[in-house]
Amino acid sequence: MRMTTASTCCYCGVGCGVLIEHDGERILDVAGDPSHPANLGKLCSKGSTLHLTGDLGARALYPELRLGKGLARGRTDWASALEHAASVFAETIREHGPDSVAFYVSGQLLTEDYYAFNKLARALVGTNNLDSNSRLCMSSAVVGYKRSLGADAPPCSYEDIEQADCLLIAGSNMAYAHPVLFRRLEEAKAKRPEMTIIVVDPRRTDTSELADLHLPILPGTDVALFHGLLHILMWEGWIDRRFIDAHTEGFDALKSLVRDYTPAMVADLCGISVDDLQTCARLIGSAPAFLSLWCMGLNQSTAGSAKNSALINLHLATGQIGKPGAGPFSLTGQPNAMGGRETGSLSNLLPGHRDAANAEHRAEVAAYWGVEQLPEQPGLPAIGLFEAVRAGKIKALWIACTNPAQSLPDQQKVHEALATCPFVVVQEAFFTTETCRHADLLLPAASWGEKEGTVTNSERRISHVRRAVPAPGEARADWAITCDFARRLERHLRPGAPSLFAFESAEALFEEYKPLTAARDLDYSGLSYALIDTLGPQQWPFPPGSELGTARLYGDGVFPTANGRARFVAEHYQAPKEKREARYPLTLNTGRLRDQWHGMSRTGTAARLFGHVEEALLCMNAEDMRRRRLLDGQLVKMKSRRGSLILPVQKDDSLRAGQAFLPMHWGDRFLKGLGSNVLTLASVDPLSKQPELKHAGIEVERVELPWQFFALVEGDVQRRFEALRPLFETFDYASFSLGGRERSALLIRGARDAAPTAVELDAIDHLLGLDEGPVLAYDDPRRAVGKRVRIEDGRIVALRLAGETAARQWLRGLWESGSADAELRRWLLAPLSAPPGNAKIGTDRTLCNCLNVSQSAICAGIERGLDLTGLKQELGCGTSCGSCVPELKRLLAHQPERALL
Ligand SMILES: Nc1nc2c(c(=O)[nH]1)N[C@H]1C(S)=C(S)[C@@H](COP(=O)(O)OP(=O)(O)OC[C@H]3O[C@@H](n4cnc5c(=O)[nH]c(N)nc54)[C@H](O)[C@@H]3O)O[C@H]1N2
Ligand SMILES: Nc1nc2c(c(=O)[nH]1)N[C@H]1C(S)=C(S)[C@@H](COP(=O)(O)OP(=O)(O)OC[C@H]3O[C@@H](n4cnc5c(=O)[nH]c(N)nc54)[C@H](O)[C@@H]3O)O[C@H]1N2
Ligand code: SF4
Ligand SMILES: [Mo]
């Protein structure tokens, strides 16, 4: 029987409602929930393919324990696993004190999971060593809001996007990262073309394509830009003196600071024209309603806190806050980054927007929990925490719902830390992650569609996440794992005392947690699961007795500071940590792809999601490539002060000279060499402790790796991937991805200085199924060249090219088309390595994932004279989720110079 359960999408902070179709056992399909206020029925390319992800072959199904470093993990049962963990934690705490253990958690946990971890760390263990991946994501925004406005609260609503007259999008590629909101913006702009959109981003992106004004500032110069804008706003009299006098403090100090930020100086520093700067100021200054949206381009910086406050300064100076269509609106990345902040799950916070450093706050929470006191010693933020693990100070580490061995900067050190830590627990839904390799204890977690709780999205809206199907194998909900462990640890640390963790459901956790928000700025003590179910998802504050949530904050001009005034923050511009210098002259920018999610544990199981970008590529400006004599597709070595990585390079005219871009998604699993973050730096913002993930100094040079490798194998992809990946450790370059649509295949590209041994190659062939059965083979040992193709029922099912791979695209095309013709057989048995002369070569990107429309089909349509409507009507592209529409528009706009393939 088919059933529908209304839940939420587990990806980004837009927080879309999804309707999960299932049969009580398996998830069959998803659709957007028309009644959810965040998306009103829409989903993006990631949300709409959720049911295609989560291959059971990649899921963690049973607890696994390693009894000593170097040994393999073996399956165990939950009771033994958690009993063991409790005794190791108890012993470590007894011997080395509570700060010798730590918890590193995630903005993808539900609020209830977060609360359980918080109580475990602070009330039971007695440590503030509880931090979250939100440290890499939102912590600069937290600092910005708190010090400028008094509380960590984005004051706006999504509907403000429709009501704004001028919209400044800074350091956010929302077309990729918050697509459903971007669709809303596209529609608003189409309805009201007079609405102006400004995008501040060093790169040209799908987001900037919608802008009236794109400011491609030099990396990290945002603070100077915002000060420069304020300088002009003041000069032109475009500020709101009445608002400043009535509702703010500190304006005079800022005024004298921005005096130095003259248009000429700022334009020069930011690498933009004075005209554009002036235009930007005029658009902001003359707008009846001015809204700003920002994300990682501001937060992930050693000046992240300064960038946030400098942007908020503009709103305070113009009085553009607390009214429809106006305000500083930080977009949250993860689905429950907000919940983490609310429950106090960063090392410096406590539940209910309290501070761990505040003795009164500690006493309040301790009294509520019925414990004597909460720890006073400050906890370690993510980067410091892993540094302490590496230094041997933290001896037992619990990681939940995050993959630090992929996502933290300076991966060499992170891997060292995890390898040296005496006891690493990983609570994960997918056993395939880089971090799981280091787990001494792996605990299988329930994931999307399998768990219940609540999440808060970017606009402070709390949704009820509902469970549709049971978790596979023995996987359990995160809160249940945490509480079970905590009860066992209590027997060591508080024998005989009544349990602090006697929760029977997620709802019980929510009920205990919510009074901690009472009378605080975020008060949602009036909310319950039942109320959300009746009223729909609600925006906090939602104090007792409320009938509806709160759409907008600070309408009365009163801010949650001691004197009720918002504060101007006057801080000078600071350049990014790694300045351009001769050895590392390029700045590496990292960020999102449209169809992948972080370390790809989930999106990396759906071949379709590789259709848009298939493999790890370094993007560079043409001029920088020319100077280094690099051609498209060549292998390069990129080096930073911390590490190096080998991968192909690609020309990208959306980048200015001096800048390079690498997606953040590739970890050591998909790209040998510890992935993108082997290059990035761990320098942090002094206040938010957020690392500078967007600006690393690098150099790029060509590498000659004459022995090349390509393989494709269909079926049982996850198991093969796991088995094959370790065999490529001796390769200089090895990149894995998935391909296909109806059938999916594992694709492997590799290169080495010289051929591997026959034994090594045989081992690979064995796992590819190319060592026996219907396999056609050709070898030229003198040139170390060999080809293998397995053909079943007239179709290619596996192939590998060793030594020389010129025919790989052609063969891949043959695989996809399901044909294995005579030409192929002739070619196979010939010494020729390149494809036959008349073969059609070339890979094609799938721009429209929903309808499977390729870039070449779209370009051909444009050539035939189709416009956007024509493309939609004839090819169907862009008619479903809409994620490809910005790219269709760009191809239409850049028709003359478009690159076909
Ligand atoms: N498809 C997809 N969507 C996602 C995610 C995902 O993994 N995949 N992750 C989610 C999460 S957790 C997050 S945090 C968000 C991130 O969402 P975004 O922050 O929008 O995404 P990024 O691509 O990381 O970075 C945004 C832009 O910042 C620009 N930038 C770099 N340096 C600077 C600078 O100095 N100044 C300015 N102004 N801009 C700069 C980059 O060029 C990039 O285009 O996405 C969320 N949504
Ligand atoms: N270079 C560079 N690095 C970056 C960034 C960047 O822009 N550039 N962005 C940073 C940002 S903003 C972020 S948010 C981080 C994200 O970094 P991570 O947190 O490491 O990213 P994910 O891959 O989403 O990790 C979440 C893990 O939780 C697992 N999981 C999924 N659902 C569940 C569940 O219900 N329970 C449990 N226990 N596990 C589950 C997933 O399989 C996955 O492995 O990356 C940061 N790193
Ligand atoms: S915009 Fe896409 S990824 Fe984000 S919540 Fe909605 S469907 Fe999920
Ligand atoms: Mo994030």
Side-chain angles (χ1 to χ4, degrees):
M1 197 181 59
R2 268 175 108 99
M3 290 171 271
T4 303
T5 302
S7 197
T8 60
C9 174
C10 62
Y11 296 125
C12 84
V14 177
C16 297
V18 297
L19 298 175
I20 305 178
E21 253 193 70
H22 58 99
D23 59 8
E25 282 296 316
R26 284 164 315 133
I27 291 173
L28 306 170
D29 207 351
V30 287
D33 181 351
S35 70
H36 197 291
N39 55 319
L40 305 168
K42 290 199 173 67
L43 292 178
C44 74
S45 53
K46 293 181 299 302
S48 61
T49 46
L50 266 167
H51 61 296
L52 303 175
T53 62
D55 192 326
L56 273 185
R59 289 295 300 270
L61 300 175
Y62 310 100
E64 286 178 11
L65 180 65
R66 188 198 322 272
L67 289 167
K69 295 280 176 201
L71 302 176
R73 278 194 311 258
R75 181 171 165 181
T76 181
D77 60 84
W78 274 106
S80 317
L82 294 179
E83 212 46 70
H84 179 77
S87 66
V88 174
F89 267 70
E91 213 175 286
T92 310
I93 294 164
R94 211 173 293 126
E95 241 178 75
H96 305 283
D99 290 335
S100 65
V101 307
F103 301 87
Y104 183 58
V105 300
S106 164
Q108 293 166 66
L109 287 172
L110 308 183
T111 296
E112 293 73 6
D113 305 328
Y114 251 135
Y115 179 70
F117 269 114
N118 209 324
K119 198 173 180 188
L120 164 63
R122 325 249 191 198
L124 178 57
V125 174
T127 183
N128 284 315
N129 284 342
L130 162 72
D131 213 51
S132 139
N133 61 1
S134 278
R135 187 66 70 184
L136 315 177
C137 184
M138 301 314 303
S139 60
S140 296
V142 175
V143 171
Y145 277 133
K146 279 170 81 166
R147 64 178 185 162
S148 294
L149 304 180
D152 176 22
C156 311
S157 280
Y158 292 162
E159 64 197 35
D160 287 319
I161 291 177
E162 278 121 27
Q163 294 163 348
D165 299 297
C166 173
L167 223 141
L168 175 80
I169 303 172
S172 148
N173 183 11
M174 60 188 295
Y176 278 15
H178 298 89
V180 166
L181 267 193
F182 193 69
R183 298 284 90 76
R184 244 169 125 153
L185 177 60
E186 283 172 334
E187 279 170 27
K189 174 84 177 157
K191 269 195 210 126
R192 283 198 304 129
E194 68 278 14
M195 157 195 245
T196 55
I197 299 173
I198 306 158
V199 170
V200 181
D201 193 311
R203 293 191 301 154
R204 201 180 68 229
T205 61
D206 273 10
T207 307
S208 70
E209 293 289 326
L210 187 67
D212 300 280
L213 177 67
H214 172 210
L215 299 178
I217 59 166
L218 293 174
T221 58
D222 305 79
V223 171
L225 174 73
F226 300 147
H227 287 348
L229 290 170
L230 187 56
H231 180 108
I232 302 172
L233 291 170
M234 280 174 9
W235 179 260
E236 299 287 348
W238 287 328
I239 55 173
D240 185 344
R241 223 33 262 198
R242 198 201 50 79
F243 185 89
I244 295 171
D245 292 341
H247 303 298
T248 70
E249 64 184 15
F251 188 62
D252 289 342
L254 179 63
K255 204 165 117 185
S256 67
L257 181 123
V258 304
R259 199 165 291 139
D260 298 340
Y261 290 77
T262 60
M265 176 272 221
V266 168
D268 184 50
L269 212 155
C270 297
I272 56 174
S273 70
V274 172
D275 267 3
D276 280 352
L277 182 65
Q278 296 277 8
T279 307
C280 182
R282 181 175 47 76
L283 293 176
I284 293 172
S286 60
F290 163 55
L291 184 74
S292 59
L293 299 169
W294 73 95
C295 208
M296 293 308 117
L298 299 201
N299 294 351
Q300 288 173 340
S301 154
T302 46
S305 302
K307 287 185 180 189
N308 272 266
S309 286
L311 178 54
I312 298 174
N313 284 342
L314 295 180
H315 287 273
L316 296 176
T318 51
Q320 292 283 5
I321 185 168
K323 55 181 196 180
F329 195 0
S330 136
L331 296 174
T332 54
Q334 298 176 91
N336 200 28
M338 290 287 286
R341 290 144 75 174
E342 294 154 16
T343 56
S345 306
L346 285 169
S347 59
N348 52 314
L349 304 179
L350 287 178
H353 280 177
R354 289 177 176 84
D355 292 317
N358 182 320
E360 233 171 86
H361 287 177
R362 286 200 305 274
E364 283 166 16
V365 178
Y368 184 74
W369 281 341
V371 296
E372 223 165 89
Q373 57 181 23
L374 294 192
E376 205 182 320
Q377 176 72 18
L380 292 167
I383 301 295
L385 195 152
F386 277 82
E387 205 31 65
V389 173
R390 202 169 73 99
K393 291 184 198 138
I394 287 173
K395 298 167 198 303
L397 175 62
W398 193 293
I399 298 167
C401 201
T402 175
N403 181 15
Q406 190 276 330
S407 54
L408 283 171
D410 202 355
Q411 276 298 318
Q412 192 66 48
K413 292 216 174 102
V414 175
H415 280 261
E416 280 167 32
L418 289 168
T420 35
C421 185
F423 190 56
V424 179
V425 182
V426 181
Q427 184 172 322
E428 240 299 337
F430 292 81
F431 78 91
T432 47
T433 72
E434 289 80 359
T435 305
C436 287
R437 291 186 207 156
H438 293 282
D440 297 299
L441 180 61
L442 175 64
L443 301 174
S447 182
W448 175 76
E450 304 157 359
K451 52 194 283 197
E452 185 182 32
T454 52
V455 292
T456 310
N457 73 3
S458 291
E459 57 166 0
R460 293 172 281 105
R461 191 181 294 280
I462 303 178
S463 291
H464 187 181
V465 179
R466 297 183 192 85
R467 174 178 170 279
V469 295
E474 292 180 6
R476 295 170 70 185
D478 288 289
W479 68 266
I481 302 173
T482 310
C483 291
D484 190 348
F485 166 72
R487 286 191 296 268
R488 293 171 200 268
L489 186 61
E490 276 178 326
R491 285 183 220 133
H492 294 271
L493 301 182
R494 297 167 34 110
S499 177
L500 299 169
F501 295 90
F503 301 103
E504 305 239 305
S505 63
E507 188 169 12
L509 281 150
F510 185 82
E511 286 300 312
E512 179 180 299
Y513 156 64
K514 77 184 190 191
L516 280 167
T517 66
R520 309 277 312 158
D521 71 289
L522 75 168
D523 190 347
Y524 51 89
S525 59
L527 207 56
S528 64
Y529 283 15
L531 263 177
I532 304 177
D533 293 346
T534 331
L535 300 175
Q538 293 299 312
Q539 289 174 282
W540 59 251
F542 193 102
S546 309
E547 281 170 11
L548 270 182
T550 312
R552 203 166 289 111
L553 306 178
Y554 314 138
D556 55 2
V558 179
F559 293 87
T561 53
N563 61 5
R565 286 169 176 270
R567 295 180 281 246
F568 283 102
V569 174
E571 272 169 352
H572 272 295
Y573 157 74
Q574 302 275 345
K577 192 82 184 166
E578 298 205 327
K579 317 214 168 39
R580 290 179 71 170
E581 59 160 79
R583 279 178 59 214
Y584 301 102
L586 302 169
T587 299
L588 177 70
N589 181 358
T590 61
R592 269 88 192 151
L593 292 174
R594 194 189 76 184
D595 295 348
Q596 295 294 351
W597 179 261
H598 299 162
M600 303 160 68
S601 59
R602 179 179 281 283
T603 48
T605 63
R608 189 187 291 192
L609 294 177
F610 288 81
H612 192 236
V613 173
E614 187 172 281
E615 56 175 322
L617 295 171
L618 172 69
C619 296
M620 277 176 78
N621 170 281
E623 174 60 23
D624 291 327
M625 280 177 63
R626 198 185 52 75
R627 264 199 225 144
R628 291 168 180 75
R629 298 177 199 288
L630 300 174
L631 298 175
D632 258 358
Q634 276 176 344
L635 285 176
V636 293
K637 181 176 206 168
M638 35 186 321
K639 283 188 298 192
S640 78
R641 291 168 179 80
R642 292 150 296 277
S644 66
L645 205 56
I646 293 177
L647 77 173
V649 67
Q650 187 184 47
K651 194 159 38 196
D652 185 341
D653 66 2
S654 64
L655 294 165
R656 294 175 69 165
Q659 299 175 30
F661 181 82
L662 180 62
M664 53 115 16
H665 305 289
W666 315 110
D668 185 65
R669 186 165 181 250
F670 286 94
L671 181 63
K672 192 212 150 220
L674 305 187
S676 312
N677 275 318
V678 78
L679 302 156
T680 51
L681 64 160
S683 299
V684 297
D685 177 274
L687 299 174
S688 71
K689 310 294 178 196
Q690 182 158 354
E692 187 143 79
L693 290 161
K694 295 262 183 276
H695 318 297
I698 58 158
E699 178 53 301
V700 175
E701 63 191 36
R702 176 135 188 225
V703 280
E704 295 295 341
L705 294 169
W707 193 88
Q708 308 233 333
F709 179 91
F710 175 77
L712 176 158
V713 57
E714 71 173 49
D716 208 1
V717 164
Q718 294 302 318
R719 196 189 51 82
R720 288 186 202 269
F721 191 173
E722 278 308 294
L724 279 157
R725 175 63 190 82
L727 302 188
F728 287 79
E729 274 312 301
T730 60
F731 279 57
D732 298 288
Y733 160 68
S735 160
F736 290 73
S737 63
L738 269 52
R741 195 167 168 98
E742 301 320 323
R743 289 181 301 274
S744 59
L746 178 69
L747 306 176
I748 310 172
R749 298 167 179 83
R752 309 171 37 127
D753 202 21
T757 62
V759 176
E760 279 178 275
L761 204 52
D762 285 348
I764 293 172
D765 280 347
H766 176 66
L767 292 174
L768 291 168
L770 291 171
D771 56 342
E772 55 175 28
V775 176
L776 295 173
Y778 175 86
D779 284 303
D780 178 353
R782 203 177 35 84
R783 295 195 301 135
V785 163
K787 325 178 215 175
R788 297 277 182 287
V789 178
R790 185 180 181 103
I791 298 175
E792 288 176 14
D793 302 327
R795 289 187 42 245
I796 297 176
V797 294
L799 65 93
R800 71 99 167 128
L801 301 174
E804 228 283 347
T805 61
R808 66 180 190 277
Q809 310 287 31
W810 171 62
L811 288 169
R812 194 177 154 197
L814 287 186
W815 167 72
E816 211 137 356
S817 68
S819 64
D821 53 13
E823 191 176 50
L824 166 70
R825 286 165 208 270
R826 257 197 316 278
W827 172 83
L828 255 170
L829 300 172
L832 196 71
S833 350
N838 57 349
K840 194 175 147 280
I841 326 175
T843 41
D844 208 352
R845 295 171 66 212
T846 309
L847 294 197
C848 173
N849 239 330
C850 303
L851 279 293
N852 193 19
V853 188
S854 68
Q855 178 160 339
S856 57
I858 291 161
C859 288
I862 295 173
E863 207 137 90
R864 288 203 309 278
L866 296 179
D867 61 0
L868 186 60
T869 319
L871 288 172
K872 285 182 174 178
Q873 275 170 357
E874 234 179 76
L875 304 172
C877 52
T879 53
S880 183
C881 81
S883 288
C884 65
V885 171
E887 221 164 333
L888 300 182
K889 286 191 191 156
R890 185 156 50 77
L891 286 174
L892 282 161
H894 300 274
Q895 192 177 359
E897 84 241 34
R898 81 183 177 266
L900 238 168
L901 287 174

